[in-house]
């Protein structure tokens, strides 16, 4: 967790975007390790492959197509800093009511989770409860997720296909 | 031992909130759009952390049914966050494609320069 904080400070300070992207990848791997410690193995795997892998590749591709140096902005940083701190205080105030970390009797463990844990073997036959819930109990959520990814993919393809066509048009005009 | 647990709990939430605030600060204060998106993803991952943290039970194990274990962490937040991670990457990719398009149209990915160009021309 402390390493995460340091990496984040590095991302804020660093102006070379290449370094920012690499730090973001390191951040994702650290986040995956933290998830692993918190017993969320599926989430850790996804974060390591998707967050640290695909995100970094996509960010690097963007840097390849654009610029890699961030200019020094002239706008004041006091107002955003103040706003962030105020929001942070509000969130801290909100988390004061949370139950203590790691206890088994907090409200989150009292609703449907015990049912998932006790019945999923009989109902789905899958030992990994996360998979059982994802694919069986909450299949519609996953359908919605796939819809979102599909839409995003179409959007990216449309935006970038236009880019290639305009490039060809420009080089054709130069010739 | 109780005091140690208390400290650990406070430290978890405090670090998560710090990451959240840092992401928010990057999004608001930095003009470079790639950096804004990195800030947005930091904000997102801090929210993942905020969801995963309550699902942990001290002494429990990962929610894979096995006769050797009886205490598991809560699987429901894990499922929700799995979905959120993938959707987050999809939105980030879309944002980056928009950045590429903006760079092509304005020749820059800095908000300030785009605004200045708009004023000048």
């Amino acid at each position: 967790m402390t390493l995460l904080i340091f990496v984040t400070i590095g991302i804020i300070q660093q102006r070379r975007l290449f370094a920012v992207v690499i730090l973001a990848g390191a951040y994702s791997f650290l986040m995956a390790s933290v998830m692993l410690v918190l017993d969320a193995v599926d989430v850790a795997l996804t974060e390591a492959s998707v967050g640290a892998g695909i995100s970094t590749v996509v960010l690097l591709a963007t840097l390849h197509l654009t610029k890699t140096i961030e200019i020094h902005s002239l706008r004041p940083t006091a107002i955003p800093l103040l706003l962030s701190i105020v929001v942070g205080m509000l969130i801290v105030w909100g988390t004061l009511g949370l139950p203590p970390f790691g206890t088994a009797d907090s409200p989150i463990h009292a609703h449907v989770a015990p049912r998932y844990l006790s019945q999923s073997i009989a109902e789905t036959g899958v030992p990994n409860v996360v998979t059982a819930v994802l694919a069986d109990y909450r299949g519609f959520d996953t359908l919605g997720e796939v819809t979102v990814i599909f839409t995003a993919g179409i959007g990216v393809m449309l935006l970038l296909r236009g880019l290639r066509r305009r490039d060809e048009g420009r080089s054709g005009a130069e010739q | 031992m109780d005091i140690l647990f208390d400290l650990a709990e406070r430290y978890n939430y405090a670090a998560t909130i710090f990451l959240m605030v840092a992401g928010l600060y990057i999004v608001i204060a930095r003009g470079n759009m790639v950096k804004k998106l990195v800030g947005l993803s930091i904000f997102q991952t801090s929210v993942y952390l905020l969801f995963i943290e309550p699902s942990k039970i001290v002494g429990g194990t990962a929610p894979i049914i096995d006769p050797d274990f009886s205490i598991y962490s809560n699987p429901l937040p894990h499922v929700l966050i799995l979905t959120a991670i993938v959707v987050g990457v999809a939105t980030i990719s879309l944002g980056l494609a928009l950045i590429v398009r903006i760079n092509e149209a304005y020749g820059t990915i800095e908000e300030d320069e785009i605004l200045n160009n708009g004023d000048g021309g």
Side-chain angles (χ1 to χ4, degrees):
Chain A
M1 291 294 259
T2 314
L3 268 177
L4 272 179
I5 291 176
F6 283 132
V7 171
T8 311
I9 292 173
I11 289 176
I12 295 179
Q13 299 258 316
Q14 188 61 255
R15 296 263 163 197
R16 279 166 302 163
L17 292 176
F18 189 75
V20 168
V21 170
I22 298 303
L23 278 175
Y27 172 90
S28 286
F29 268 120
L30 286 171
M31 184 61 87
S33 321
V34 172
M35 299 290 187
L36 199 63
V37 172
L38 289 172
D39 282 346
V41 281
D42 303 79
V43 182
L45 276 175
T46 315
E47 175 71 25
S49 62
V50 171
I54 299 180
S55 299
T56 311
V57 169
V58 175
L59 279 165
L60 284 177
T62 310
L63 288 191
H64 174 66
L65 290 171
T66 58
K67 299 174 178 57
T68 57
I69 298 291
E70 178 187 16
I71 58 162
H72 255 284
S73 181
L74 294 176
R75 45 176 148 171
T77 56
I79 295 173
L81 196 61
L82 195 70
L83 187 68
S84 304
I85 291 173
V86 169
V87 171
M89 291 297 177
L90 279 176
I91 303 171
V92 168
W93 181 61
T95 50
L96 284 182
L98 285 176
F101 175 75
T103 48
D105 53 351
S106 53
I108 185 174
H109 301 302
H111 194 43
V112 291
R115 189 188 175 283
Y116 285 148
L117 285 172
S118 60
Q119 301 292 320
S120 66
I121 278 277
E123 287 180 354
T124 65
V126 183
N128 188 340
V129 185
V130 174
T131 315
V133 176
L134 185 76
D136 281 331
Y137 296 105
R138 295 181 138 315
F140 277 114
D141 277 14
T142 310
L143 182 66
E145 173 195 354
V146 173
T147 313
V148 170
I149 299 167
F150 182 64
T151 316
I154 289 180
V156 171
M157 275 169 59
L158 285 177
L159 285 166
L160 294 185
R161 197 186 57 176
L163 175 81
R164 194 181 310 142
R165 189 186 297 152
R166 274 186 300 278
D167 269 359
E168 283 166 7
R170 201 177 298 153
S171 55
E174 280 165 7
Q175 288 160 8
Chain B
M1 201 60 194
D2 280 352
I3 298 170
L4 274 182
F5 267 151
D6 267 9
L7 272 180
E9 159 212 350
R10 294 275 182 283
Y11 185 63
N12 269 334
Y13 287 129
T16 308
I17 290 165
F18 173 81
L19 294 181
M20 202 177 280
V21 170
L24 186 68
Y25 173 75
I26 296 178
V27 171
I28 299 175
R30 291 290 188 255
N32 186 291
M33 292 182 179
V34 174
K35 202 157 181 183
K36 260 186 205 291
L37 277 182
V38 172
L40 196 64
S41 71
I42 289 179
F43 195 102
Q44 271 179 340
T45 36
S46 73
V47 176
Y48 305 158
L49 211 53
L50 198 66
F51 265 70
I52 296 290
E53 271 165 6
S55 76
K56 164 83 173 164
I57 298 177
V58 172
T61 180
I64 299 172
I65 303 291
D66 191 287
D68 295 347
F69 300 102
S70 60
I71 306 174
Y72 304 102
S73 57
N74 192 337
L76 194 55
H78 298 184
V79 176
L80 300 178
I81 295 310
L82 271 183
T83 310
I85 287 178
V86 179
V87 168
V89 168
T91 48
I92 295 278
S93 317
L94 192 63
L96 289 171
L98 277 173
I99 290 177
V100 171
R101 184 71 188 83
I102 286 170
N103 179 58
E104 189 198 357
Y106 291 91
T108 176
I109 53 172
E110 300 282 346
E111 257 184 7
D112 297 346
E113 292 179 359
I114 292 173
L115 289 178
N116 288 338
N117 286 352
D119 289 344

